Amino acid sequence: MPTAPAEDLTYSMTTPSDFGAPGGSFVLGPGEDNDHTVTMDTGSAANRFGNLEISSNDLDDPTWYVNLSGRVLEHASPSLAQLSIVLHSTLDFGSHQAGAFSDETLSVYNETFFELQALLEVYDASIVGGDGRFSFIGGFSPVTLGFGAGEYPLAFDSAGAVEDSTYTATLTFHNRDDQTIAGATLLNFLIVTQSVHR
């Protein structure tokens, strides 16, 4: 801002294509200051950068530049498969005698993760039904995923299960974007129907 004694400062702003600023001319008197909102296009994932140009009637420094930059991320993409979106699946423990059921493992992915995508937080899960016989081995643990899979070992407790009976339960994973990112949101559930025939 100009300091007295000084003439009014007249200026205007020009932004690169991915950014915006108020148009027109602005005037600052001695001792005054102005606040302006500069915006950035967030319509698609990209690293954006450029210079805000300020042109003025300042005889010594008629043009000033302000570096602008920002990174726009796509939302995370929860899936039960690595290379396609799978939101619902089944997990069959098979048909066995009591004590002969093997543990099974489910994998959760941030599908086709790349550098301009938010990390995926698998932050909660629930298993409903199945007479309470289906469980996470060692309990559920939240994970944050970029590349790679979150693996969840699951068990069926066959002790005392009724012979010639079918047990089913619904496992639901609760997912969201990395909460440290502005604009993070809740994402699709991942739902797995678990079944056993005893």
Side-chain angles (χ1 to χ4, degrees), residues 61-191:
D61 295 300
T63 306
W64 313 324
Y65 295 95
V66 179
N67 292 326
L68 304 176
S69 63
R71 191 176 192 203
V72 184
L73 301 180
E74 287 189 4
H75 291 290
S77 183
S79 180
L80 295 164
Q82 187 169 17
L83 298 177
S84 61
I85 298 293
V86 177
L87 301 180
H88 299 82
S89 186
T90 59
L91 180 63
D92 188 354
F93 283 75
S95 180
H96 305 282
Q97 296 297 316
F101 287 90
S102 299
D103 299 334
E104 301 288 343
T105 299
L106 271 175
S107 296
V108 177
Y109 300 90
N110 190 359
E111 189 261 345
T112 61
F113 178 75
F114 69 115
E115 65 175 3
L116 292 177
Q117 186 173 354
L119 295 173
L120 171 67
E121 291 185 358
V122 185
Y123 68 94
D124 197 9
S126 60
I127 299 175
V128 177
D131 196 28
R133 295 181 176 275
F134 296 90
S135 64
F136 290 99
I137 297 174
F140 170 79
S141 295
V143 295
T144 300
L145 298 174
F147 295 106
E151 295 189 343
Y152 290 96
L154 297 159
F156 174 74
D157 180 7
S158 61
V162 178
E163 291 191 19
D164 198 27
S165 296
T166 298
Y167 293 87
T168 61
T170 299
L171 163 58
T172 303
F173 289 104
H174 301 254
N175 310 291
R176 62 191 180 191
D177 291 318
D178 173 9
Q179 294 296 286
T180 65
I181 302 297
T185 188
L186 296 177
L187 302 168
N188 290 323
F189 294 132
L190 297 176
I191 299 174

Side-chain angles (χ1 to χ4, degrees), residues 16-50:
S17 59
D18 292 330
F19 298 86
S25 295
F26 303 90
V27 177
L28 273 178
E32 297 178 346
D33 56 46
N34 283 343
D35 291 327
H36 297 289
T37 299
V38 177
T39 61
M40 184 178 71
D41 179 8
T42 59
S44 60
N47 288 312
R48 306 198 188 282
F49 54 89

